[in-house]
Amino acid sequence: MHAVSQAVVAQAPEQFPVHSNPPIWTVAEVLALYDLPFMDLIYRAQQVHRQHFDANAIQRSTLLSVKTGGCSEDCSYCSQSARYETDVERERLMPIDEVVAAAQVAKAKGASRFCMGAAWRGPKDSDLDKVLEMVREVKALGMQTCVTLGMLKQGQAEKLKEAGLDYYNHNLDTDKAFYGQVIKSHTHDDRLDTLSQVRDAGINVCSGGIVGMGETRRNRAAMLVQLANLPRPPESVPINHLVPVPGTPLGDLPPLDPFEFVRTIAAARIIMPTSHVRLSAGRQEMSEELQALCFLAGANSMFYGDQLLTTGNPDVSRDDALFGKLGLRAV
Ligand code: SAM
Ligand code: DTB
Ligand code: SF4
């Protein structure tokens, strides 16, 4: 059975049927969560959240783009695809000492994890060797390490594990049924294949998606179901709001209704009760009140640092002030 509190079962038993263990979620069940009155949904998400986490603790990761732009892939949202005219300049793989210096700054500011991103379809073995060195050196600073390098070939995940990598980020990005409308150069199954290589190598899985790309609520629910029903749910689930980037095909999309965004966080929290749910891209465009609602809905991780990969993130001073106002603790 799903981790449903007795109180909620008593309120709406027909919506939350009994399941075998481990739970397999259906899209209909997750749509039923989305359909709950907002207050009931948030209450339920808080109950689940508090069963598994300290509700006042937020994990903070800092991102660094170690290889920017010029990517071969056709992802309609991405500033770094070589197929679109955006303001992002193509850069070479960053020297290791610069990466380590950035990680030291992130650690001093209070990030527990350092996530290095590369605009690749996947790493060449020669590039991977340099990333392995970055992982070793960042790990030696006492930080958790994460990389996001695209699709992996056989054997690459094992090398990352040997270097001490803690997390590999590889997002499903959207529902399998909507995937081909947004990403044209690889498939949802390709993404799943890399995720299973990462899992098999014993690396923690970080996988989530983007909302606000013109998908339907059903697509959002289906994406969450595809994540929750992986052989093991990801340890970390980033929920990104699309950052519309001028020059990309999705560059002028209007934002998703904020309550729909919060509902997505709450649904993720309920169906992946032991995962960290990360309030990810799009936070710069959110009010403090909306971010607080996301934390109330069960988000317990965020990107911390003035930059994401190529777009902005709230200044650390603003985030520190928000943590102070809400009594949140960084972990
Ligand atoms: N190239 C690798 C890959 O695609 O997995 C790693 C880097 S890629 C930029 C990492 C993730 O950033 C994407 O999977 C997507 O979820 C997110 N992302 C990229 N551009 C975004 C945007 N404009 N708004 C929100 N999220 C975005
Ligand atoms: C994730 O889910 N979001 C991060 C991280 N994983 C790599 C990236 C967000 C990128 C936002 C657009 C940009 O800055 O280029
Ligand atoms: Fe390349 Fe990743 Fe951007 Fe797609 S999301 S274009 S694979 S950097």
Side-chain angles (χ1 to χ4, degrees):
M1 177 176 178
H2 293 143
V4 176
S5 80
Q6 282 312 110
V8 175
V9 171
Q11 279 165 22
E14 74 286 356
Q15 286 178 337
F16 306 110
V18 173
H19 279 270
S20 57
N21 197 18
I24 303 292
W25 286 90
T26 66
V27 176
E29 286 169 342
V30 177
L31 282 172
L33 291 176
Y34 269 94
D35 283 340
L36 284 173
F38 188 77
M39 302 309 160
D40 291 347
L41 175 60
I42 300 301
Y43 177 60
R44 175 136 182 241
Q46 259 293 305
Q47 284 182 312
V48 171
H49 191 46
R50 284 170 184 267
Q51 280 167 21
H52 299 281
F53 292 102
D54 172 348
N56 301 304
I58 306 287
Q59 186 274 327
R60 302 199 294 200
S61 295
T62 293
L63 275 172
L64 179 68
S65 180
V66 299
K67 161 68 186 78
T68 305
C71 184
S72 63
E73 299 306 280
D74 193 354
C75 308
S76 308
Y77 49 80
C78 189
S79 64
Q80 306 198 70
S81 168
R83 302 175 193 234
Y84 315 129
E85 283 286 324
T86 70
D87 288 344
V88 172
E89 300 283 339
R90 183 187 188 133
E91 291 169 20
R92 297 166 68 88
L93 185 61
M94 213 182 244
I96 292 171
D97 54 341
E98 288 179 26
V99 174
V100 175
Q104 279 165 331
V105 170
K107 186 184 179 196
K109 287 186 174 168
S112 58
R113 190 176 307 159
F114 196 65
C115 179
M116 296 161 271
W120 290 323
R121 175 180 166 86
K124 289 186 282 190
D125 283 333
S126 55
D127 288 327
L128 187 71
D129 287 343
K130 294 176 192 144
V131 174
L132 296 175
E133 193 50 34
M134 292 173 189
V135 170
R136 284 187 206 102
E137 297 217 11
V138 173
K139 183 94 178 156
L141 299 176
M143 296 185 88
Q144 294 176 356
T145 52
C146 176
V147 296
T148 181
L149 312 172
M151 293 182 276
L152 295 179
K153 294 193 285 284
Q154 290 296 330
Q156 292 186 320
E158 286 73 16
K159 287 187 183 171
L160 286 162
K161 174 70 181 171
E162 275 166 33
L165 185 71
D166 296 300
Y167 288 80
Y168 194 87
N169 166 249
H170 198 64
N171 291 336
L172 286 188
D173 279 324
T174 194
D175 174 18
K176 184 176 168 76
F178 189 64
Y179 200 84
Q181 289 187 50
V182 178
I183 296 132
K184 307 223 170 9
S185 49
H186 54 261
T187 65
H188 199 265
D189 283 345
D190 290 331
R191 303 295 279 188
L192 289 172
D193 177 62
T194 289
L195 289 181
S196 77
Q197 292 188 49
V198 170
R199 180 58 86 202
D200 290 350
I203 300 168
N204 290 307
V205 171
C206 172
S207 188
I210 313 177
V211 298
M213 298 196 295
E215 76 285 342
T216 61
R217 175 180 277 188
R218 172 172 285 275
N219 292 138
R220 288 187 279 280
M223 177 188 79
L224 294 179
V225 163
Q226 287 149 18
L227 290 164
N229 290 348
L230 287 169
R232 257 172 70 190
E235 279 72 22
S236 178
V237 180
I239 305 293
N240 296 276
H241 186 293
L242 174 72
V243 179
V245 176
T248 64
L250 305 186
D252 54 12
L253 282 195
L256 194 65
D257 178 84
F259 295 115
E260 183 69 9
F261 185 80
V262 178
R263 284 179 187 278
T264 303
I265 299 265
R269 162 52 60 228
I270 292 165
I271 75 171
M272 291 174 273
T274 61
S275 304
H276 276 81
V277 174
R278 182 171 304 114
L279 173 55
S280 302
R283 213 159 53 76
Q284 198 172 35
E285 289 70 34
M286 294 177 195
S287 69
E288 292 193 331
E289 295 86 341
L290 176 54
Q291 293 179 59
L293 266 184
C294 292
F295 296 136
L296 197 60
N300 61 346
S301 169
M302 64 181 221
F303 288 121
Y304 180 66
D306 304 347
Q307 277 278 116
L308 292 168
L309 292 174
T310 66
T311 66
N313 199 40
D315 294 346
V316 296
S317 57
R318 265 185 61 198
D319 279 341
D320 290 347
L322 180 60
F323 271 48
K325 283 193 253 186
L326 300 180
L328 294 174
R329 202 162 44 78
V331 290

